[in-house]
Amino acid sequence: MTFDWKDTDRREIGLIAEDVQKVLPEIVACQNNRPAALDYPKLTALLIECVKELQTKIDFLEKKVFLHPADIKKET
């Protein structure tokens, strides 16, 4: 997502710390008790694990949807 820094109006690509803190407070660094920055390496590790889990689900569903030629012969 894109956002604009309040102090400079400079456009950036990234996540808003306040939004992430609601879901993953452990990757948000605070300054003066306010969300200030994200620990992106920790987020990257989490995203990699999510992709692995999704791939496992995709593989499972593809096996259920696509019949192998041997299975098609059994049905006819």
Side-chain angles (χ1 to χ4, degrees), residues 18-36:
E18 290 90 349
D19 294 341
V20 175
Q21 188 178 36
K22 295 172 189 172
V23 182
L24 291 167
E26 53 274 336
I27 70 164
V28 178
C30 292
Q31 188 175 27
N32 299 327
N33 287 335
R34 296 195 54 170

Side-chain angles (χ1 to χ4, degrees), residues 1 6 14-15 18-20 25 29-30 33 35-36 38 41 43-45 50 57-58 60 62 65 67-68 76:
M1 95 177 287
K6 291 178 184 176
L15 301 171
E18 290 90 349
D19 294 341
V20 175
C30 292
N33 287 335
L38 298 176
L43 181 61
T44 301
C50 290
K57 290 179 181 182
I58 290 168
F60 173 77
E62 283 180 340
V65 171
L67 295 174
H68 295 287
T76 57

